[in-house]
Amino acid sequence: MDPFFAEIVRHIETRCIEAGYWAIVLSSHGQAELEANALDMLRSLKVAGAIIAPLGQASDEELIHQFASEVPTVLCDSRLDGVGVFVGTDNFQTIDLIVDYLSRAGDPPCFVEMPPVNANAYERKDAYVRSMERLGLDPKIIPIVGEGWDFERLGYEQGLRLIASRELPSNTILCANDRIAIGMLAAAYEKGLRVGRGPGSAIRIAGHDDHPLSRFTCPPLTTVSQDYTAIADRSLHILFDAIEHNDAHIPSSQVRLEGKLIMRISA
Protein backbone atom coordinates (compact mmCIF):
# COMPACT_ATOMS: atom_id res chain seq x y z
CA MET A 1 0.00 0.00 0.00
CA ASP A 2 3.02 2.29 0.38
CA PRO A 3 3.47 4.22 -2.90
CA PHE A 4 7.27 4.16 -2.40
CA PHE A 5 7.33 0.40 -2.90
CA ALA A 6 4.62 0.55 -5.55
CA GLU A 7 6.80 2.86 -7.66
CA ILE A 8 9.84 0.58 -7.33
CA VAL A 9 7.76 -2.49 -8.22
CA ARG A 10 6.30 -0.69 -11.24
CA HIS A 11 9.76 0.13 -12.59
CA ILE A 12 11.03 -3.39 -11.93
CA GLU A 13 8.05 -5.01 -13.67
CA THR A 14 8.41 -2.78 -16.74
CA ARG A 15 12.12 -3.45 -17.12
CA CYS A 16 11.76 -7.19 -16.54
CA ILE A 17 9.18 -7.42 -19.31
CA GLU A 18 11.47 -5.44 -21.64
CA ALA A 19 14.32 -7.87 -20.84
CA GLY A 20 12.17 -10.95 -21.45
CA TYR A 21 11.56 -11.92 -17.83
CA TRP A 22 8.29 -12.39 -15.96
CA ALA A 23 8.16 -10.56 -12.64
CA ILE A 24 6.51 -12.33 -9.71
CA VAL A 25 5.55 -9.91 -6.93
CA LEU A 26 5.07 -11.19 -3.38
CA SER A 27 4.43 -9.11 -0.26
CA SER A 28 5.14 -9.88 3.38
CA HIS A 29 2.54 -7.32 4.58
CA GLY A 30 4.87 -6.49 7.46
CA GLN A 31 4.90 -10.07 8.77
CA ALA A 32 8.08 -12.12 9.22
CA GLU A 33 6.23 -15.40 8.65
CA LEU A 34 4.92 -14.23 5.27
CA GLU A 35 8.42 -13.03 4.32
CA ALA A 36 9.80 -16.50 5.10
CA ASN A 37 6.96 -18.17 3.14
CA ALA A 38 7.68 -15.92 0.15
CA LEU A 39 11.33 -17.00 0.12
CA ASP A 40 10.31 -20.66 0.21
CA MET A 41 7.89 -20.12 -2.66
CA LEU A 42 10.49 -18.32 -4.78
CA ARG A 43 12.98 -21.12 -4.13
CA SER A 44 10.43 -23.78 -5.15
CA LEU A 45 9.64 -21.87 -8.36
CA LYS A 46 13.35 -21.90 -9.26
CA VAL A 47 13.33 -18.19 -10.09
CA ALA A 48 16.22 -16.71 -12.07
CA GLY A 49 16.86 -14.08 -9.42
CA ALA A 50 15.24 -11.94 -6.74
CA ILE A 51 15.08 -8.32 -5.60
CA ILE A 52 14.06 -8.17 -1.95
CA ALA A 53 13.02 -5.24 0.21
CA PRO A 54 13.36 -7.00 3.58
CA LEU A 55 11.33 -6.14 6.64
CA GLY A 56 14.58 -5.37 8.43
CA GLN A 57 14.41 -5.70 12.20
CA ALA A 58 11.79 -8.48 12.02
CA SER A 59 13.50 -10.42 9.21
CA ASP A 60 15.04 -13.85 9.68
CA GLU A 61 18.50 -12.78 8.52
CA GLU A 62 19.87 -16.32 8.45
CA LEU A 63 17.02 -17.43 6.19
CA ILE A 64 17.59 -14.55 3.78
CA HIS A 65 21.35 -15.16 3.84
CA GLN A 66 20.77 -18.82 2.93
CA PHE A 67 18.38 -17.85 0.13
CA ALA A 68 20.89 -15.35 -1.27
CA SER A 69 23.60 -18.04 -1.32
CA GLU A 70 21.39 -20.16 -3.61
CA VAL A 71 19.59 -17.56 -5.76
CA PRO A 72 21.08 -14.35 -7.25
CA THR A 73 19.70 -11.72 -4.87
CA VAL A 74 19.77 -7.94 -4.57
CA LEU A 75 18.41 -6.11 -1.52
CA CYS A 76 16.84 -2.67 -1.81
CA ASP A 77 15.48 -0.06 0.63
CA SER A 78 16.69 -1.82 3.80
CA ARG A 79 20.10 -3.47 4.12
CA LEU A 80 21.03 -6.57 6.08
CA ASP A 81 24.69 -6.89 7.02
CA GLY A 82 26.56 -9.44 4.94
CA VAL A 83 23.60 -10.37 2.72
CA GLY A 84 24.07 -9.83 -1.01
CA VAL A 85 24.27 -6.47 -2.75
CA PHE A 86 22.29 -3.62 -1.23
CA VAL A 87 21.02 -0.80 -3.44
CA GLY A 88 19.54 2.19 -1.64
CA THR A 89 19.73 5.84 -0.74
CA ASP A 90 22.74 7.40 0.97
CA ASN A 91 20.97 8.52 4.14
CA PHE A 92 24.00 10.45 5.37
CA GLN A 93 24.09 12.52 2.18
CA THR A 94 20.35 13.21 2.08
CA ILE A 95 19.94 14.02 5.78
CA ASP A 96 22.98 16.30 5.69
CA LEU A 97 21.47 18.09 2.69
CA ILE A 98 18.17 18.87 4.37
CA VAL A 99 19.62 19.64 7.83
CA ASP A 100 21.95 22.16 6.21
CA TYR A 101 19.08 23.80 4.31
CA LEU A 102 16.70 23.93 7.28
CA SER A 103 19.38 25.40 9.54
CA ARG A 104 20.23 28.11 7.03
CA ALA A 105 16.58 28.99 6.33
CA GLY A 106 15.32 29.21 9.92
CA ASP A 107 15.51 27.54 13.31
CA PRO A 108 17.73 24.43 13.34
CA PRO A 109 15.54 21.32 13.15
CA CYS A 110 14.64 18.87 15.86
CA PHE A 111 14.30 15.30 14.59
CA VAL A 112 11.26 13.04 14.95
CA GLU A 113 12.57 9.52 14.53
CA MET A 114 10.76 6.55 13.00
CA PRO A 115 10.11 3.22 14.74
CA PRO A 116 13.24 1.01 14.56
CA VAL A 117 11.80 -1.26 11.87
CA ASN A 118 14.94 -1.34 9.70
CA ALA A 119 18.42 0.07 9.16
CA ASN A 120 17.05 3.32 7.73
CA ALA A 121 15.70 4.26 11.16
CA TYR A 122 19.13 4.04 12.76
CA GLU A 123 21.03 5.55 9.84
CA ARG A 124 18.82 8.62 9.53
CA LYS A 125 18.97 9.35 13.26
CA ASP A 126 22.76 8.95 13.27
CA ALA A 127 23.03 11.11 10.15
CA TYR A 128 20.97 13.86 11.80
CA VAL A 129 23.22 13.89 14.87
CA ARG A 130 26.33 13.96 12.71
CA SER A 131 25.00 16.82 10.56
CA MET A 132 23.96 18.96 13.53
CA GLU A 133 27.31 18.46 15.23
CA ARG A 134 29.12 19.35 12.00
CA LEU A 135 27.24 22.66 12.03
CA GLY A 136 28.07 23.23 15.71
CA LEU A 137 24.42 22.76 16.72
CA ASP A 138 22.81 20.75 19.50
CA PRO A 139 20.89 17.69 18.19
CA LYS A 140 17.36 17.36 19.55
CA ILE A 141 15.83 13.94 18.94
CA ILE A 142 12.15 13.25 19.64
CA PRO A 143 11.41 9.52 20.03
CA ILE A 144 8.33 8.25 18.26
CA VAL A 145 5.74 6.63 20.52
CA GLY A 146 4.49 3.33 19.11
CA GLU A 147 5.62 0.51 16.87
CA GLY A 148 5.01 -0.84 13.39
CA TRP A 149 4.61 0.61 9.90
CA ASP A 150 1.52 2.81 10.43
CA PHE A 151 3.70 5.90 10.13
CA GLU A 152 1.02 8.49 9.34
CA ARG A 153 -0.96 7.61 12.47
CA LEU A 154 2.17 7.59 14.63
CA GLY A 155 3.22 11.00 13.31
CA TYR A 156 -0.26 12.42 13.82
CA GLU A 157 -0.55 11.17 17.39
CA GLN A 158 2.96 12.32 18.30
CA GLY A 159 2.28 15.71 16.74
CA LEU A 160 -0.87 16.17 18.79
CA ARG A 161 1.00 15.30 21.99
CA LEU A 162 3.94 17.59 21.29
CA ILE A 163 1.81 20.58 20.30
CA ALA A 164 -0.64 20.16 23.19
CA SER A 165 2.16 19.88 25.76
CA ARG A 166 4.23 22.62 24.12
CA GLU A 167 7.25 20.32 24.24
CA LEU A 168 8.60 21.06 20.77
CA PRO A 169 12.26 22.07 21.21
CA SER A 170 12.28 23.90 17.86
CA ASN A 171 9.83 25.50 15.45
CA THR A 172 11.38 23.37 12.70
CA ILE A 173 10.63 19.63 12.62
CA LEU A 174 12.52 17.17 10.44
CA CYS A 175 10.74 13.82 10.28
CA ALA A 176 12.57 10.58 9.53
CA ASN A 177 10.24 9.93 6.60
CA ASP A 178 7.49 11.68 4.67
CA ARG A 179 4.72 9.47 6.01
CA ILE A 180 5.44 10.61 9.58
CA ALA A 181 5.61 14.19 8.30
CA ILE A 182 2.17 13.80 6.69
CA GLY A 183 0.78 12.82 10.10
CA MET A 184 2.52 15.82 11.66
CA LEU A 185 0.94 18.13 9.08
CA ALA A 186 -2.51 16.82 10.00
CA ALA A 187 -1.82 17.35 13.71
CA ALA A 188 -0.62 20.92 13.12
CA TYR A 189 -3.77 21.69 11.11
CA GLU A 190 -6.01 20.25 13.82
CA LYS A 191 -4.26 22.38 16.45
CA GLY A 192 -4.59 25.54 14.36
CA LEU A 193 -0.88 25.98 13.56
CA ARG A 194 0.03 27.40 10.18
CA VAL A 195 2.80 25.35 8.57
CA GLY A 196 5.25 26.96 6.14
CA ARG A 197 8.13 29.36 5.66
CA GLY A 198 6.14 32.46 4.84
CA PRO A 199 4.86 35.31 7.03
CA GLY A 200 2.46 34.19 9.73
CA SER A 201 3.71 30.60 9.76
CA ALA A 202 4.13 29.07 13.22
CA ILE A 203 6.05 25.92 12.37
CA ARG A 204 8.08 24.30 9.61
CA ILE A 205 7.79 20.56 8.84
CA ALA A 206 10.03 18.57 6.50
CA GLY A 207 10.42 14.90 5.64
CA HIS A 208 12.52 12.39 3.77
CA ASP A 209 11.82 10.24 0.66
CA ASP A 210 9.79 12.51 -1.69
CA HIS A 211 6.82 10.22 -1.21
CA PRO A 212 4.62 10.34 -4.37
CA LEU A 213 1.86 12.12 -2.40
CA SER A 214 4.13 14.65 -0.66
CA ARG A 215 3.67 17.27 -3.38
CA PHE A 216 -0.09 17.18 -2.79
CA THR A 217 -0.18 17.64 0.99
CA CYS A 218 -1.36 20.93 2.45
CA PRO A 219 1.00 22.66 2.35
CA PRO A 220 3.21 20.69 -0.08
CA LEU A 221 5.99 18.95 1.84
CA THR A 222 9.64 19.97 1.73
CA THR A 223 11.73 16.79 1.63
CA VAL A 224 14.72 15.01 0.12
CA SER A 225 14.17 12.54 -2.67
CA GLN A 226 14.86 8.89 -3.10
CA ASP A 227 15.37 8.07 -6.78
CA TYR A 228 12.89 5.24 -7.35
CA THR A 229 13.91 4.75 -10.97
CA ALA A 230 17.63 4.62 -10.17
CA ILE A 231 17.09 2.13 -7.31
CA ALA A 232 15.13 -0.18 -9.63
CA ASP A 233 17.54 0.23 -12.55
CA ARG A 234 20.72 -0.39 -10.52
CA SER A 235 19.16 -3.37 -8.75
CA LEU A 236 18.15 -4.95 -12.05
CA HIS A 237 21.48 -4.17 -13.73
CA ILE A 238 23.34 -6.03 -10.98
CA LEU A 239 20.82 -8.89 -10.97
CA PHE A 240 20.74 -9.36 -14.75
CA ASP A 241 24.54 -9.35 -14.83
CA ALA A 242 24.69 -12.10 -12.20
CA ILE A 243 22.06 -14.17 -14.06
CA GLU A 244 23.89 -13.75 -17.37
CA HIS A 245 27.16 -14.96 -15.83
CA ASN A 246 25.39 -17.79 -13.96
CA ASP A 247 26.63 -16.39 -10.67
CA ALA A 248 24.31 -17.76 -7.96
CA HIS A 249 26.05 -15.87 -5.16
CA ILE A 250 26.58 -12.11 -5.52
CA PRO A 251 29.34 -10.85 -3.18
CA SER A 252 28.16 -8.57 -0.40
CA SER A 253 28.49 -4.86 -1.19
CA GLN A 254 26.55 -1.60 -1.05
CA VAL A 255 25.47 0.82 -3.78
CA ARG A 256 24.43 4.14 -2.26
CA LEU A 257 22.57 6.66 -4.42
CA GLU A 258 22.39 10.38 -3.74
CA GLY A 259 19.12 12.25 -3.28
CA LYS A 260 18.07 15.80 -4.06
CA LEU A 261 16.59 18.56 -1.93
CA ILE A 262 12.93 19.16 -2.85
CA MET A 263 11.95 22.63 -1.64
CA ARG A 264 8.22 23.17 -1.18
CA ILE A 265 6.08 25.40 1.04
CA SER A 266 6.06 23.42 4.31
CA ALA A 267 9.64 24.40 5.23
Side-chain angles (χ1 to χ4, degrees), residues 145-206:
V145 178
E147 300 177 347
W149 294 80
D150 194 3
F151 298 142
E152 292 88 353
R153 177 183 60 80
L154 294 174
Y156 169 73
E157 292 175 351
Q158 183 72 315
L160 291 178
R161 281 191 292 267
L162 291 169
I163 295 169
S165 63
R166 300 186 178 183
E167 293 179 1
L168 280 170
S170 170
N171 290 331
T172 302
I173 303 173
L174 172 59
C175 299
N177 63 47
D178 284 354
R179 293 178 58 194
I180 291 174
I182 288 171
M184 284 278 177
L185 287 173
Y189 175 81
E190 185 170 318
K191 290 297 185 180
L193 295 182
R194 181 173 179 177
V195 178
R197 49 192 169 92
S201 297
I203 194 171
R204 295 189 301 160
I205 296 175

Side-chain angles (χ1 to χ4, degrees), residues 232-255:
D233 284 347
R234 292 295 293 274
S235 297
L236 284 170
H237 176 78
I238 294 167
L239 187 61
F240 288 162
D241 185 66
I243 293 171
E244 182 180 337
H245 291 88
N246 198 28
D247 186 2
H249 178 65
I250 305 176
S252 179
S253 63
Q254 294 187 30
V255 177

Side-chain angles (χ1 to χ4, degrees), residues 83 158 227:
V83 181
Q158 183 72 315
D227 192 333

Side-chain angles (χ1 to χ4, degrees), residues 13-263:
E13 283 189 306
T14 300
R15 282 152 182 75
C16 281
I17 292 170
E18 292 171 350
Y21 291 95
W22 185 257
I24 301 169
V25 180
L26 300 173
S27 175
S28 62
H29 299 285
Q31 300 179 38
E33 182 180 359
L34 290 180
E35 182 175 78
N37 291 343
L39 294 174
D40 288 339
M41 180 177 291
L42 292 175
R43 186 184 287 108
S44 68
L45 291 173
K46 302 185 188 312
V47 294
I51 296 174
I52 300 174
L55 289 173
Q57 191 76 7
S59 292
D60 185 333
E61 293 192 27
E62 182 58 36
L63 192 64
I64 296 177
H65 190 278
Q66 179 62 36
F67 178 87
S69 70
E70 301 170 7
V71 179
T73 300
V74 176
L75 303 185
C76 70
D77 181 59
S78 178
R79 64 176 175 81
L80 298 175
D81 292 335
V83 181
V85 174
F86 168 71
V87 179
T89 300
D90 184 347
N91 288 310
F92 288 89
Q93 181 264 337
T94 51
I95 290 292
D96 193 61
L97 196 63
I98 196 162
V99 167
D100 183 72
Y101 162 71
L102 292 173
S103 298
R104 285 187 289 104
D107 290 343
C110 57
F111 183 77
V112 176
E113 62 181 357
M114 59 190 280
V117 292
N118 57 31
N120 287 323
Y122 300 103
E123 286 188 0
R124 291 176 189 178
K125 180 168 67 173
D126 291 345
Y128 164 76
V129 172
R130 182 183 299 183
S131 296
M132 291 289 283
E133 290 177 345
R134 178 183 64 80
L135 295 171
L137 301 169
D138 183 24
K140 296 180 175 63
I141 296 174
I142 300 173
I144 198 74
V145 178
E147 300 177 347
W149 294 80
D150 194 3
F151 298 142
E152 292 88 353
R153 177 183 60 80
L154 294 174
Y156 169 73
E157 292 175 351
Q158 183 72 315
L160 291 178
R161 281 191 292 267
L162 291 169
I163 295 169
S165 63
R166 300 186 178 183
E167 293 179 1
L168 280 170
S170 170
N171 290 331
T172 302
I173 303 173
L174 172 59
C175 299
N177 63 47
D178 284 354
R179 293 178 58 194
I180 291 174
I182 288 171
M184 284 278 177
L185 287 173
Y189 175 81
E190 185 170 318
K191 290 297 185 180
L193 295 182
R194 181 173 179 177
V195 178
R197 49 192 169 92
S201 297
I203 194 171
R204 295 189 301 160
I205 296 175
H208 186 291
D209 291 341
D210 197 22
H211 186 290
L213 299 180
S214 63
R215 71 192 63 187
F216 302 116
T217 57
C218 187
L221 185 65
T222 291
T223 184
V224 278
S225 66
Q226 294 202 69
D227 192 333
Y228 311 117
T229 302
I231 291 173
D233 284 347
R234 292 295 293 274
S235 297
L236 284 170
H237 176 78
I238 294 167
L239 187 61
F240 288 162
D241 185 66
I243 293 171
E244 182 180 337
H245 291 88
N246 198 28
D247 186 2
H249 178 65
I250 305 176
S252 179
S253 63
Q254 294 187 30
V255 177
R256 296 285 188 158
L257 304 173
E258 292 191 351
K260 296 179 180 179
L261 177 65
I262 309 296
M263 293 174 57

